[in-house]
Amino acid sequence: MAKDTHISKAIAIAFVVLTISAIAGLITMIILYKAQISAMNPTPPPTVPSTTTVLPPTMRLPRSVIPESYEVFLRFPFYTKILEVVNVTSPNQTTNFSGNTTIHFQCVQRTSTIYIHSMELEVSEAKVFNRNTDGEIQVSSMSSHEDHSEFLVIELNEALESGGNYSLSLVFVGELYHNFDGAYISSYTEGVPSHEGDKSADRFLIITNNEPIYARNVFPCFDEPEMKAVFNVTIIHRRQTTALANAPVDKIQLIDDWKYTRFHSTPKMSTYLFAFAVSEFEATASSYEPVVIKTYARPEAVAAGHTKYAAEITGKILSFYENLFEIKYMQQKLDQIALPDLSPAAMENWGLITYQEGALLYEEGASSSLQKESIATIIAHELAHQWFGNLVTMKWWNQLFLKEGFATYISCFAVDHVEPSFNMKDSFFASELQAAFEVDSLTSSHPLVPPEEDIQRTYDIISLYDIITYSKGAIVLRMLEDVLEAPAFIQGIRMYLRDLSYANGDQNDLWHYMQKGADANNRQVDVAKFMDSWTKQIGYPVITINTTSGEISQKHFLFNDSSQSSLVWDVPIRVMSKTFLSPKPVFLKTSQPEIWDELISSSGDWLLANVNCTGYYRVNYNPENWEALLTQLETNRSLIPLMNRMQLIDDAFNLARAKIVNVTLALNVTRFLYNETDFHPWDSAMRNFQYIYLMFDRTEVYGPMQTYLRSQVRNLYMFFSNSTDHSQVPVDHMQQQSQTLAVQVACNSGLPDCVAMAKRMFGLWMKDNTNIIHPNLRHWIYCEAVASGGKEEWDFAWSQYQSTNDTSEKYHLRHALSCTKKIWLLNRYLGYTLDPEKIQQVDAAEIVSSISKSVAGQVLAWNFIRAHWDYLSHGGPAVLIHAVTSRFSTQFELQELERFAADYHLGSAERVVQQAIEQTRVNIQWVSEHKDVLLQWFERETAS
Ligand SMILES: *[C@@H]1O[C@H](CO)[C@@H](O)[C@H](O)[C@H]1NC(C)=O
Ligand SMILES: *[C@@H]1O[C@H](CO)[C@@H](O)[C@H](O)[C@H]1NC(C)=O
Ligand SMILES: *[C@@H]1O[C@H](CO)[C@@H](O)[C@H](O)[C@H]1NC(C)=O
Ligand SMILES: *[C@@H]1O[C@H](CO)[C@@H](O)[C@H](O)[C@H]1NC(C)=O
Ligand SMILES: *[C@@H]1O[C@H](CO)[C@@H](O)[C@H](O)[C@H]1NC(C)=O
Ligand SMILES: [Zn+2]
């Protein structure tokens, strides 16, 4: 089954309709995509292999001078529209920009050399003054460092003295590209072009995206998170355009053709948060005293009301955080802006948060409920950063999880506050947990907080924007809160934010304040010792409980069990039985087998550990206890908490994947789904079945497997079929997710009712040209209709794709077009991805990934990727590699992949390719060992 775990663009987050699990990956993937895109920045490829950790000390700025404030002037002669191309007197677009900066800094260590970051800028006229004496200090030379440090080195004729106050001014010119980093040009169309090649509807804007290290592409600066400063910014731009920046506008002057927009000083902040925009966008205001909140977008989107939802919830979320953290939002204004081009999905620039359109604009009647949920989640994530990240910043990028893990974790509480009906918490943590488990089961994973010296080069920094940082980061914080309990946790956070405001911290600081919170609330936990075992070590454990002997032990969980590991964690365990629920988690003591007599003797028929999955570990039991749990699930599943119903499935499948239990146990756990109507257990099963599908959908296992799923999903499908047939959805948000999943699974497994329904609905659309399909259901109904249809359906979907301006609709259709089983149509579609007139380059990788997920398209896509790697890797190489290799399970495929790794320039995709190679090896062995067993199981199960 082609479960679309890949996310593209905005969509990363916003549009993965497949399952909530996709949302899990939501933020994660969004950011992941960012990492991939960044691979295309003009940074030269690292010259040392990624395994080398010895680096020149020149990668980091010396601490001899410390910036205090910047005066920055930036002039952009570019136009937002080029109206009359044929009129020779009309202006041509200009993408160059110029500027100057004056930096006030303090010298804290005597030096006659100033190092500052500058990238792709032509810098001149360096002047240094002593601010105490007003004397000028002569500059003897200025040069770019000939390595990857991106330093501009300014040599002085006399030394700066420690304790002295100085200023440095520089003049520079640069160029704007359409590249998503630093300051760049984004484009969109207004209205509908009158004919092909008509440029009169083209519109342009300038926007920035500076995290982690692109502020240096905009102006020379001390571009490290610890070098916080105040920024006084003036943007000089065309009169009809509007400029926004981090701080509110101070004054606007009109001089000749130009508008000088001067902004108030920013709060003291890191350079990666520096942002501005120049556009003709319009805004929707929210009422929220005393902060002025505005949501900006294309004028057409504002007029259509697409900014309304964001404007409505932003103030509520801000207020939630102000109360939670007991610190008011620090600026007078908060702008949010929806951009046609941005990668990642969103960026938390202080006072000017940028979003992909799909991550901010809710289109009533076209967006699904899942998209609404992801919009709320992304806004909540970015607003959390205004405290976690902007106010208190990590000392260095190796501590990235401090802001990303935290924002991911806390956003779910904010969404729960503003949209209680979403019932977010379970689904959110379920998806984060499973996403983290998956990648952290490989030896190629990395510790949540790697050693600082391992994260120095651009490439190292960018590769940290991954599932580990976001999802594992969120999950270990959740585990900490479970152990400390909410009052101690919140108190710790408040102290941390208060004491480190406008400064930087690392994990030791966070643990220090959490310890204070714990002590104040009588929680006896050694926070640093407990958390270090989770943040500094790679991976996570599987806990094994034998209810007969009462033995309990831990072991590093890895898919590839041949790897030796003696890692040990501080594991908090909460258990329950039919009659007993442990009131708080108890720590598993060291690695020694431990006898939990009391628990075991009270357990009765079964014992369940890791209640509600608050711990970041898997659990295995002796066969008797597994058996008792399965019986409970099949007779009265409600006694087992929902999160655990999900996790039992996930654990069983993954334990089987790691060859710790029999795969038949995992399959047996899916039997209870016959009666299950809740979303999470189904979602978990489908996620895990996906692996089996990928391994066996080219073999004789496929038929019996489809038959089994079809019979399991029938009840679920019928539960909703009255609504589905009339294109209606249940009121309850989680039930809506179940309904969507029911359609996905039923159609994919070929349930005749579902296939007929999809054909009928799509046929009506083709006939009347009115689409009555509910937005929640479009993704899978379109896909099924195209899959079971032919050229006519495909062409119809393609013409709809070209004629709609609706982002979510475009996403559904792009996906549907890849669902066809006709090779010639798939080839045609692949060809389209190379033609920017047909498919925008940013969408190409998503489409190729999507094609590569199907049996019919996988080989086509793999050849295509290798033939057009340079073009496609701009749109997200990690996502592509992950998608196209996910079915690899033969020696031949392994060899091809290894040759690919050796022959191609992989950039930031290098780690993903290594992971794919490791995964392929695991797959080869797994398939050869399990094929017969699986075939027998499915045949037996479907025989009756
Ligand atoms: C920026 O503005 C602040 C407040 O007006 C001022 O104190 C500071 O000196 C300015 N910085 C520079 C470099 O001009
Ligand atoms: C060219 O464009 C300018 C500015 O828009 C306009 O004033 C002028 O009349 C145009 N000339 C012709 C020949 O169309
Ligand atoms: C715009 O560019 C074209 C082609 O390079 C050139 O012929 C024309 O003179 C330019 N127009 C202006 C106003 O600079
Ligand atoms: C920077 O540019 C602005 C605007 O062009 C100008 O007024 C200012 O004098 C320049 N400052 C320096 C130090 O060159
Ligand atoms: C559990 O403990 C019993 C009693 O010591 C032992 O016989 C059995 O083999 C153990 N089961 C597992 C799976 O380790
Ligand atoms: Zn973030």
Side-chain angles (χ1 to χ4, degrees):
M1 192 167 25
K3 186 164 155 196
D4 202 355
T5 51
H6 135 252
I7 313 204
S8 96
K9 250 182 119 179
I11 320 279
I13 298 200
F15 297 129
V16 179
V17 183
L18 343 155
T19 68
I20 291 236
S21 51
I23 287 234
L26 194 152
I27 307 276
T28 313
M29 288 298 193
I30 296 175
I31 312 288
L32 193 58
Y33 179 71
K34 144 116 195 136
Q36 296 141 6
I37 275 279
S38 307
M40 74 196 243
N41 90 75
T43 312
T47 49
V48 280
S50 66
T51 47
T52 314
T53 54
V54 187
L55 293 153
T58 53
M59 293 305 290
R60 296 287 290 278
L61 291 171
R63 287 326 191 232
S64 44
V65 303
I66 306 291
E68 284 163 359
S69 69
Y70 294 70
E71 188 72 40
V72 186
F73 285 88
L74 292 164
R75 180 190 296 266
F76 297 100
F78 108 117
Y79 296 90
T80 46
K81 51 188 155 205
I82 303 297
L83 281 181
E84 296 174 55
V85 255
V86 287
N87 179 338
V88 286
T89 65
S90 76
N92 286 328
Q93 187 57 286
T94 49
T95 55
N96 57 311
F97 68 94
S98 58
N100 65 60
T101 180
T102 301
I103 307 167
H104 289 176
F105 64 91
Q106 203 184 27
C107 175
V108 293
Q109 197 178 26
R110 193 170 191 275
T111 180
S112 55
T113 312
I114 300 171
Y115 292 87
I116 187 168
H117 286 108
S118 171
M119 179 75 182
E120 309 221 312
L121 296 173
E122 208 177 292
V123 184
S124 58
E125 295 178 43
K127 288 202 171 64
V128 176
F129 287 91
N130 183 327
R131 284 195 291 137
N132 302 102
T133 64
D134 268 353
E136 181 167 1
I137 295 162
Q138 293 305 317
V139 172
S140 61
S141 73
M142 177 165 68
S143 59
S144 294
H145 224 229
E146 292 295 314
D147 58 13
H148 304 310
S149 63
E150 296 161 14
F151 286 161
L152 186 68
V153 185
I154 299 164
E155 301 282 358
L156 306 172
N157 279 344
E158 61 185 276
L160 307 176
E161 298 298 337
S162 172
N165 293 309
Y166 299 91
S167 73
L168 163 67
S169 60
L170 297 163
V171 173
F172 52 89
V173 295
E175 176 134 19
L176 301 168
Y177 299 99
H178 185 85
N179 64 356
F180 307 98
D181 295 329
Y184 62 94
I185 293 184
S186 168
S187 60
Y188 61 100
T189 53
E190 194 168 64
V192 181
S194 57
H195 53 89
E196 197 156 334
D198 175 13
K199 304 279 185 223
S200 69
D202 289 356
R203 298 288 178 272
F204 306 91
L205 67 149
I206 300 178
I207 189 68
T208 52
N209 191 54
N210 290 330
E211 182 178 1
I213 40 95
Y214 303 114
R216 63 190 68 169
N217 294 37
V218 184
F219 63 109
C221 56
F222 297 92
D223 199 8
E224 293 190 359
E226 228 180 339
M227 298 290 205
K228 289 192 173 187
V230 166
F231 299 84
N232 308 327
V233 181
T234 305
I235 307 275
I236 304 156
H237 52 111
R238 299 280 171 191
R239 292 177 82 128
Q240 71 280 13
T241 61
T242 305
L244 301 171
N246 298 96
V249 173
D250 178 11
K251 58 174 187 263
I252 294 178
Q253 277 179 291
L254 299 172
I255 304 175
D256 304 328
D257 278 352
W258 304 98
K259 196 188 256 185
Y260 284 62
T261 305
R262 180 168 181 81
F263 298 90
H264 284 286
S265 301
T266 67
K268 192 177 174 201
M269 67 178 200
S270 303
T271 46
Y272 76 89
L273 296 168
F274 184 93
F276 60 85
V278 180
S279 73
E280 292 189 53
F281 276 16
E282 284 168 13
T284 303
S286 317
S287 57
Y288 185 74
E289 291 293 322
V291 183
V292 178
I293 299 175
K294 285 189 182 160
T295 304
Y296 286 83
R298 287 179 285 113
E300 283 180 333
V302 176
H306 297 167
T307 43
K308 269 195 200 142
Y309 180 64
E312 184 188 307
I313 62 172
T314 300
K316 294 180 189 165
I317 296 175
L318 205 61
S319 142
F320 172 79
Y321 288 138
E322 289 184 329
N323 293 329
L324 182 70
F325 301 141
E326 292 184 344
I327 298 178
K328 291 284 178 199
Y329 174 68
M330 318 79 192
Q331 295 210 66
Q332 291 151 23
K333 69 103 178 178
L334 174 63
D335 293 326
Q336 309 195 86
I337 181 166
L339 300 168
D341 298 287
L342 176 74
S343 163
M347 174 59 210
E348 70 261 22
N349 315 301
W350 213 340
L352 177 56
I353 308 178
T354 51
Y355 295 85
Q356 293 178 354
E357 291 195 341
L360 191 67
L361 303 183
Y362 178 72
E363 300 159 37
E364 198 75 53
S367 304
S368 68
S369 61
L370 195 58
Q371 283 168 261
K372 192 174 198 174
E373 182 178 308
S374 60
I375 288 169
T377 308
I378 295 168
I379 293 176
H381 179 102
E382 304 310 326
L383 293 184
H385 277 316
Q386 308 302 305
W387 287 262
F388 258 88
N390 300 8
L391 183 62
V392 180
T393 312
M394 63 277 151
K395 281 192 173 132
W396 182 245
W397 299 107
N398 67 319
Q399 306 276 341
L400 185 62
F401 103 97
L402 282 182
K403 79 177 177 78
E404 295 305 345
F406 192 85
T408 304
Y409 177 58
I410 210 75
S411 64
C412 142
F413 295 90
V415 176
D416 201 49
H417 175 77
V418 295
E419 295 282 11
S421 69
F422 286 2
N423 218 335
M424 269 286 285
K425 285 190 207 155
D426 280 349
S427 43
F428 191 76
F429 293 125
S431 51
E432 297 298 334
L433 181 65
Q434 297 196 350
F437 270 161
E438 170 108 28
V439 290
D440 216 9
S441 308
L442 296 168
T443 49
S444 49
S445 184
H446 64 84
L448 189 51
V449 180
E452 186 171 339
E453 57 276 16
D454 287 1
I455 307 297
Q456 298 290 316
R457 297 165 305 158
T458 303
Y459 164 88
D460 301 320
I461 295 168
I462 289 171
S463 68
L464 275 188
Y465 290 79
D466 68 358
I467 290 176
I468 296 295
T469 300
Y470 285 73
S471 303
K472 182 177 180 178
I475 289 297
V476 302
L477 288 169
R478 174 168 177 259
M479 182 162 66
L480 176 63
E481 171 156 11
D482 187 52
V483 168
L484 295 183
E485 294 180 358
F489 186 81
I490 300 296
Q491 200 176 340
I493 297 236
R494 286 174 181 161
M495 288 188 281
Y496 170 84
L497 289 174
R498 191 191 59 209
D499 285 7
L500 295 179
S501 284
Y502 304 102
N504 298 71
D506 61 16
Q507 60 168 346
N508 295 333
D509 294 312
L510 183 61
W511 309 153
H512 169 76
Y513 288 102
M514 287 294 182
Q515 189 68 58
K516 284 186 155 184
D519 295 347
N521 289 274
N522 290 320
R523 306 292 307 152
Q524 260 108 52
V525 183
D526 181 340
V527 176
K529 174 174 170 293
F530 165 42
M531 291 307 284
D532 281 353
S533 77
W534 298 95
T535 59
K536 292 187 177 169
Q537 305 189 110
I538 192 172
Y540 62 92
V542 50
I543 308 303
T544 305
I545 298 177
N546 183 338
T547 54
T548 311
S549 65
E551 278 172 330
I552 175 166
S553 62
Q554 63 165 294
K555 182 172 181 288
H556 186 176
F557 180 82
L558 288 166
F559 285 144
N560 186 352
D561 205 26
S562 59
S563 9
Q564 297 293 319
S565 166
S566 54
L567 300 183
V568 174
W569 287 261
D570 274 18
V571 188
I573 302 184
R574 199 193 286 273
V575 297
M576 69 177 286
S577 66
K578 245 182 195 166
T579 54
F580 170 84
L581 170 63
S582 56
K584 58 183 178 191
V586 178
F587 278 97
L588 171 62
K589 296 287 183 318
T590 71
S591 61
Q592 299 299 312
E594 175 102 340
I595 311 289
W596 282 16
D597 279 335
E598 196 189 322
L599 291 180
I600 306 304
S601 57
S602 68
S603 74
D605 351 343
W606 50 262
L607 182 83
L608 180 75
N610 201 8
V611 178
N612 283 328
C613 308
T614 48
Y616 184 59
Y617 53 87
R618 297 190 184 279
V619 188
N620 187 21
Y621 306 93
N622 51 317
E624 298 77 13
N625 196 58
W626 271 114
E627 211 45 57
L629 284 167
L630 297 200
T631 307
Q632 186 64 58
L633 284 170
E634 284 171 57
T635 51
N636 179 5
R637 65 182 191 285
S638 64
L639 287 189
I640 312 275
L642 181 59
M643 281 288 269
N644 290 96
R645 298 213 293 278
M646 169 208 81
Q647 194 55 39
L648 282 168
I649 294 177
D650 195 61
D651 281 350
F653 271 93
N654 285 284
L655 291 167
R657 227 169 126 173
K659 294 184 275 184
I660 297 172
V661 304
N662 258 325
V663 71
T664 48
L665 170 68
L667 295 169
N668 290 341
V669 184
T670 65
R671 279 193 187 127
F672 80 95
L673 293 175
Y674 186 73
N675 285 317
E676 179 67 85
T677 51
D678 274 313
F679 175 75
H680 299 294
W682 265 106
D683 180 51
S684 174
M686 287 307 107
R687 195 196 283 254
N688 283 294
F689 258 117
Q690 192 191 9
Y691 181 68
I692 298 184
Y693 260 91
L694 289 169
M695 293 304 105
F696 295 112
D697 62 6
R698 297 176 290 182
T699 74
E700 67 267 36
V701 181
Y702 180 69
M705 181 160 63
Q706 285 284 73
T707 311
Y708 175 69
L709 266 186
R710 216 160 39 230
S711 72
Q712 288 296 87
V713 79
R714 183 172 288 114
N715 282 342
L716 182 70
Y717 184 80
M718 289 310 175
F719 186 78
F720 296 110
S721 67
N722 262 344
S723 321
T724 311
D725 285 346
H726 298 96
S727 218
Q728 287 161 356
V729 302
V731 179
D732 180 77
H733 182 81
M734 280 323 299
Q735 284 212 359
Q736 292 186 19
Q737 312 310 335
S738 292
Q739 181 197 25
T740 304
L741 187 79
V743 172
Q744 176 194 350
V745 179
C747 276
N748 277 331
S749 63
L751 188 73
D753 291 18
C754 187
V755 176
M757 178 276 300
K759 282 179 150 164
R760 185 169 54 79
M761 299 269 203
F762 197 82
L764 283 176
W765 185 19
M766 286 173 68
K767 192 159 132 271
D768 302 345
N769 218 17
T770 35
N771 186 358
I772 58 150
I773 308 170
H774 190 278
N776 280 8
L777 306 176
R778 287 183 183 170
H779 197 76
W780 296 109
I781 289 181
Y782 293 0
C783 175
E784 179 57 37
V786 171
S788 54
K791 177 175 184 301
E792 209 185 332
E793 283 75 12
W794 200 93
D795 285 344
F796 179 77
W798 175 247
S799 71
Q800 291 297 326
Y801 178 74
Q802 287 178 301
S803 62
T804 182
N805 265 334
D806 181 315
T807 342
S808 29
E809 195 64 8
K810 269 192 172 330
Y811 171 65
H812 300 317
L813 288 163
R814 258 200 315 276
H815 172 255
L817 289 165
S818 72
C819 294
T820 179
K821 291 173 179 145
K822 305 229 176 319
I823 301 291
W824 73 271
L825 285 172
L826 288 171
N827 266 326
R828 175 157 97 181
Y829 196 26
L830 283 170
Y832 286 3
T833 64
L834 298 176
D835 180 354
E837 295 276 304
K838 292 199 164 68
I839 299 288
Q840 284 189 298
Q841 192 176 357
V842 283
D843 296 325
E846 174 204 302
I847 292 171
V848 179
S849 301
S850 187
I851 291 176
S852 73
K853 297 245 177 77
S854 67
V855 180
Q858 195 233 325
V859 175
L860 302 179
W862 176 223
N863 291 334
F864 189 78
I865 286 170
R866 286 177 294 175
H868 305 285
W869 176 246
D870 284 346
Y871 186 83
L872 293 170
S873 60
H874 282 212
V879 167
L880 268 183
I881 296 298
H882 191 75
V884 80
T885 61
S886 58
R887 201 178 263 106
F888 281 9
S889 51
T890 65
Q891 283 298 341
F892 178 69
E893 285 161 336
L894 177 62
Q895 282 161 17
E896 285 201 327
L897 187 55
E898 286 172 335
R899 206 172 310 134
F900 176 72
D903 294 350
Y904 284 68
H905 170 57
L906 301 176
S908 70
E910 192 174 308
R911 177 179 284 157
V912 185
V913 172
Q914 289 313 321
Q915 283 170 348
I917 290 175
E918 183 182 346
Q919 187 62 56
T920 304
R921 292 209 179 93
V922 172
N923 294 349
I924 292 171
Q925 208 186 347
W926 200 87
V927 166
S928 75
E929 287 168 10
H930 290 91
K931 193 171 152 196
D932 295 344
V933 184
L934 278 161
L935 185 59
Q936 282 163 21
W937 192 91
F938 283 119
E939 284 179 343
R940 201 173 52 238
E941 209 66 17
T942 52
S944 47

